Amino acid sequence: EVQLVESGGGLVQAGGSLMLSCKGSGFTFEHFVISWFRQAPGKEREGVACISSPYRSATYTDSVKGRFTISRDNAENTVYLQMNSLKPEDTAVYYCAAGDACGFTQTSMSSMDYWGEGTLVTVSS
């Protein structure tokens, strides 16, 4: 059974940090680009960051550059999202997804092969 399981969400004050994890199973994790997306209440899902394999090339959306860092450990089938200097506008459900390319458009999202169920991040002001 293919699974992507996110963890690490929670409640944090503005300026704080969280690290999210995305663990895959049931597929060849190292062959996939892993992306993080988020969806805030009442808003469309948007891309946050993605990381390729095996070269670990990372891409970020502008609003998180310099604050978030994506990394991966293929031996553990896990991708991480370190989130620093969190802002209330980072509040959202964060999802990880596996696909064959990095992209933040709706078309790219629809082409992802696997999705997790999400983890909630709440940043209080």
Side-chain angles (χ1 to χ4, degrees):
E1 179 188 7
V2 171
Q3 281 191 315
L4 281 172
V5 179
E6 303 94 337
S7 62
L11 174 64
V12 65
Q13 287 189 329
S17 297
L18 282 175
M19 186 169 75
L20 305 184
S21 299
C22 168
K23 187 170 179 63
S25 61
F27 63 103
T28 311
F29 188 84
E30 64 184 7
H31 289 177
F32 285 81
V33 174
I34 304 297
S35 302
W36 284 98
F37 297 89
R38 67 186 179 185
Q39 189 164 16
K43 295 189 176 181
E44 289 190 346
R45 192 169 297 189
E46 64 173 354
V48 175
C50 58
I51 187 165
S52 68
S53 183
Y55 300 111
R56 295 176 168 80
S57 177
T59 302
Y60 301 92
T61 194
D62 286 346
S63 63
V64 308
K65 285 179 181 176
R67 300 189 297 123
F68 291 10
T69 302
I70 190 170
S71 61
R72 68 187 297 158
D73 182 345
N74 285 342
E76 296 293 330
N77 285 0
T78 301
V79 166
Y80 304 96
L81 186 68
Q82 176 67 45
M83 306 187 296
N84 298 329
S85 302
L86 282 162
K87 304 176 181 180
E89 51 263 44
D90 294 317
T91 295
V93 177
Y94 283 71
Y95 302 88
C96 65
D100 61 6
C102 179
F104 297 154
T105 65
Q106 292 296 321
T107 300
S108 297
M109 285 186 232
S110 65
S111 69
M112 291 292 162
D113 294 293
Y114 311 120
W115 285 87
E117 295 193 349
T119 185
L120 177 62
V121 172
T122 304
V123 184
S124 64
S125 57

